[in-house]
Amino acid sequence: MIQEDQLNWQRFRSGDKKALERIYNDYRDKMYSYCLYVTGDREMSHDLVQESFAKLLESPNLPEKVESVKNYLFICLRNQLFKHLEKTKVRREYLATAILDSQPTAAAEVSCETRRFLQDILGKLKPDERDLILLRSHQQLSPAEISKITGLSNEAVRVRLFRIRKKMRQLAGEL
Amino acid sequence: MNRCDQFQKLISDNLDTPLDSGMLNELQEHLASCDDCVRFSETAGNQDLILKSLPIQQPEGDAIEVQITDVRTGMINRLWHLRIRVPLPVAAAALLIFVAWQLIEPETTPSESIQGRPAAQSRVEYLQTERMQPAVARLISSNQTKSKGVSQ
């Protein structure tokens, strides 16, 4: 997969738009899911993913090689996400129903425990806390990869993950 | 950070990267006698599993959007370039000319003759006619009315 990604990236850099389409199809859903679970907003998540790929298309200075295409895409996406969150500053209620119920298939797979978790625990974290815990546990990125994406040191990532897990435990204890 | 915090940090680290055997043994010894840390380990582990199993969501729309965005961006770039090539004074002059032309432009909409004013007559011609001697103006007007009556 990594080799295929690298090949697609090089082809895209050479002007092959079909290669970007392949990259888009491979990572669109993961990027969208990540945004959705961080923001709780389908429309915003959709726009953020589109903007990230539009930026890639417009960018004149793409790196020749990337260590990980997935990590690079998440760096672009996070930049858009936090820029947007900074601009909007409107506190929207984080609704598990908004995330799950518009897709009947997805809703069928999800248990009550998961719904409660989304609404009462994940929904009560700050966006930057959700960001980090989702990158680790949902997107399965290692602390080293998260460190490269966020610009934090490896140890800082681990300490923050620990604090987020403690907070999540406290929130679970309040239920 | 107290002793339990340190071990709970190890529990958290272990979820991300397996601990070496020495640290793992130390942790397991602690867990044998600390209920709070055991509960933390269970809760953190369960929540980690829930996060892992959150469904991958799909946006509406499909992969073709990458192409559409490309075309749209290209069109927007071309329109933008067109816009900035027209200098402001030129645009202002063009606007003034257009407005003046609209004022001078003869009426083309057919209208009923109102109080002797022939329908097809241009506004300019009408004004010129009215500025002529009133007698001549009335003569022209009556001739036109007569010829209209003959043709009917």
Side-chain angles (χ1 to χ4, degrees), chain A residues 12 16-24 53 56-57, chain B residues 66:
Chain A
F12 163 55
D16 182 357
K17 299 276 183 340
K18 285 280 178 194
L20 181 64
E21 206 178 316
R22 285 191 286 274
I23 294 171
Y24 176 85
F53 279 95
L56 281 182
L57 270 171
Chain B
V66 173

Side-chain angles (χ1 to χ4, degrees), chain A residues 112-149:
Chain A
C112 288
E113 189 189 9
T114 303
R115 283 177 179 272
R116 248 180 55 172
F117 173 82
L118 275 180
Q119 190 61 52
D120 298 326
I121 298 173
L122 200 65
K124 292 197 173 151
L125 295 176
K126 293 179 196 168
D128 59 328
E129 291 170 336
R130 280 199 290 272
D131 162 50
L132 217 60
I133 197 71
L134 284 163
L135 285 176
R136 174 65 203 105
S137 298
H138 187 241
Q139 296 296 328
Q140 294 289 289
L141 295 173
S142 67
E145 287 174 312
I146 296 171
S147 160
K148 285 180 184 161
I149 288 171

Side-chain angles (χ1 to χ4, degrees), chain B:
Chain B
M1 210 187 257
N2 62 34
R3 196 170 154 73
C4 275
D5 271 346
Q6 287 171 359
F7 280 110
Q8 286 175 13
K9 168 87 173 30
L10 285 180
I11 291 167
S12 173
D13 287 347
N14 195 41
L15 287 171
D16 304 325
T17 317
L19 296 173
D20 62 44
S21 52
M23 279 190 169
L24 201 58
N25 288 337
E26 216 179 308
L27 177 61
Q28 281 168 349
E29 267 180 42
H30 178 77
L31 289 176
S33 57
C34 181
D35 290 339
D36 188 51
C37 288
V38 167
R39 280 194 296 274
F40 175 79
S41 177
E42 285 169 357
T43 307
N46 284 341
Q47 289 175 345
D48 194 56
L49 281 173
I50 293 173
L51 282 162
K52 271 183 191 148
S53 65
L54 285 175
I56 296 288
Q57 302 278 340
Q58 286 179 335
E60 286 159 20
D62 58 28
I64 201 77
E65 285 211 58
V66 173
Q67 293 177 19
I68 294 169
T69 304
D70 188 20
V71 170
R72 192 170 56 210
T73 306
M75 279 177 67
I76 287 170
N77 284 340
R78 283 198 291 277
L79 284 170
W80 179 249
H81 285 140
L82 274 173
R83 207 163 73 177
I84 62 172
R85 273 190 200 138
V86 179
L88 189 59
V90 172
L95 185 63
L96 279 171
I97 291 166
F98 175 76
V99 168
W101 176 69
Q102 283 295 308
L103 286 173
I104 293 165
E105 179 71 16
E107 280 181 21
T108 53
T109 50
S111 56
E112 296 291 318
S113 169
I114 301 169
Q115 294 186 354
R117 178 181 156 192
Q121 199 179 31
S122 73
R123 197 186 302 133
V124 171
E125 284 172 359
Y126 175 69
L127 286 172
Q128 284 174 344
T129 310
E130 283 298 290
R131 285 197 197 107
M132 289 163 67
Q133 291 174 15
V136 174
R138 279 196 293 274
L139 184 63
I140 292 169
S141 176
S142 67
N143 278 346
Q144 282 172 338
T145 310
K146 273 182 196 168
S147 62
K148 208 176 168 185
V150 165
S151 63
Q152 280 172 358

